[in-house]
């Protein structure tokens, strides 16, 4: 049994609980992805670094972010690619995979795919892995982030 996210208190039962492990992991992933890195005072590393750059200038052809303030920042603000898989070190997907491995131990063999859909102006994250100790089950969750 896990604490449900978002955190909710019910009059008769107290803190709402989640019994489904996969649903609990999905809720936690949504929280992790929606939190900009550095927004949690207790743990500044918690969150998804991509959210910190969501409103920066984006080069759709190269798939990189540029600073909106070139006087203060170098021309390329963040060298990671928006589109890619977690096997490539220079992608936001790799950063998210590392965060998931650190903060969500119930999900193993984590893979993250990050796809920018130009027509929809969205980034689609697909997180997959394995859940369960004795009988491993496949897990997959998609998250859409509307950008630019």
């Amino acid at each position: 049994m896990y604490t449900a996210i978002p955190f909710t208190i019910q009059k008769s039962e107290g803190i709402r609980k989640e019994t489904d492990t996969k649903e609990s992991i999905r809720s936690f992933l949504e929280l992790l992805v929606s939190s900009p890195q550095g927004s949690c005072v207790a743990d500044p590393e918690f969150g998804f670094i991509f959210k910190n750059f969501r409103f920066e200038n984006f080069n759709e052809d190269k798939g990189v972010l540029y600073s909106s303030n070139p006087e203060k920042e170098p021309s390329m603000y963040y060298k990671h690619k928006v589109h890619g898989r977690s096997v490539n070190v220079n992608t936001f997907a790799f950063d998210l995979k590392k965060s998931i491995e650190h903060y969500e131990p119930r999900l193993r063999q984590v893979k993250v795919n990050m796809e920018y859909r130009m027509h929809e102006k969205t980034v689609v994250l697909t997180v997959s892995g394995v859940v369960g100790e004795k009988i491993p089950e496949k897990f997959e969750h998609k998250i859409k982030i509307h950008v630019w």
Side-chain angles (χ1 to χ4, degrees), residues 2-21:
Y2 309 100
T3 302
I5 300 174
F7 186 72
T8 312
I9 297 178
Q10 299 169 325
K11 284 185 180 182
S12 60
E13 301 168 20
I15 298 172
R16 190 169 64 88
K17 304 287 186 194
E18 178 63 62
T19 55
D20 182 8
T21 304

Side-chain angles (χ1 to χ4, degrees), residues 24-64:
S24 175
I25 292 171
R26 283 184 187 93
S27 296
F28 182 77
L29 291 175
E30 294 281 347
L31 176 66
L32 181 68
V33 167
S34 65
S35 302
Q37 203 169 57
S39 63
C40 178
V41 178
D43 187 355
E45 293 298 311
F46 182 82
F48 185 28
I49 191 72
F50 179 73
K51 293 295 260 186
N52 296 47
F53 305 117
R54 204 171 139 202
F55 299 106
E56 296 297 326
N57 297 324
F58 178 59
N59 182 321
E60 290 180 311
D61 295 329
K62 294 182 181 178
V64 293

Side-chain angles (χ1 to χ4, degrees), residues 7-147:
F7 186 72
T8 312
I9 297 178
Q10 299 169 325
K11 284 185 180 182
S12 60
E13 301 168 20
I15 298 172
R16 190 169 64 88
K17 304 287 186 194
E18 178 63 62
T19 55
D20 182 8
T21 304
K22 286 183 178 182
E23 191 56 40
S24 175
I25 292 171
R26 283 184 187 93
S27 296
F28 182 77
L29 291 175
E30 294 281 347
L31 176 66
L32 181 68
V33 167
S34 65
S35 302
Q37 203 169 57
S39 63
C40 178
V41 178
D43 187 355
E45 293 298 311
F46 182 82
F48 185 28
I49 191 72
F50 179 73
K51 293 295 260 186
N52 296 47
F53 305 117
R54 204 171 139 202
F55 299 106
E56 296 297 326
N57 297 324
F58 178 59
N59 182 321
E60 290 180 311
D61 295 329
K62 294 182 181 178
V64 293
L65 300 169
Y66 290 94
S67 172
S68 58
N69 190 350
E71 291 91 37
K72 285 188 173 183
E73 304 292 338
S75 62
M76 190 180 294
Y77 196 76
Y78 203 74
K79 293 183 180 180
H80 284 34
K81 299 274 186 181
V82 172
H83 190 85
R85 291 190 166 91
S86 56
V87 293
N88 301 324
V89 178
N90 67 335
T91 62
F92 283 104
F94 180 81
D95 290 347
L96 181 58
K97 176 186 175 194
K98 292 297 173 200
S99 289
I100 293 169
E101 289 173 340
H102 180 76
Y103 292 106
E104 186 49 88
R106 298 174 294 175
L107 185 60
R108 300 180 322 279
Q109 299 174 18
V110 178
K111 293 178 187 169
V112 178
N113 185 46
M114 193 166 172
E115 175 188 357
Y116 174 65
R117 295 184 179 168
M118 192 180 311
H119 304 67
E120 301 170 16
K121 299 291 185 196
T122 59
V123 172
V124 178
L125 297 167
T126 305
V127 179
S128 60
V130 175
V131 177
E133 294 295 320
K134 296 177 183 175
I135 304 172
E137 296 179 49
K138 289 184 179 182
F139 174 87
E140 184 174 286
H141 182 59
K142 289 185 185 276
I143 301 171
K144 281 188 176 183
I145 303 172
H146 296 280
V147 291

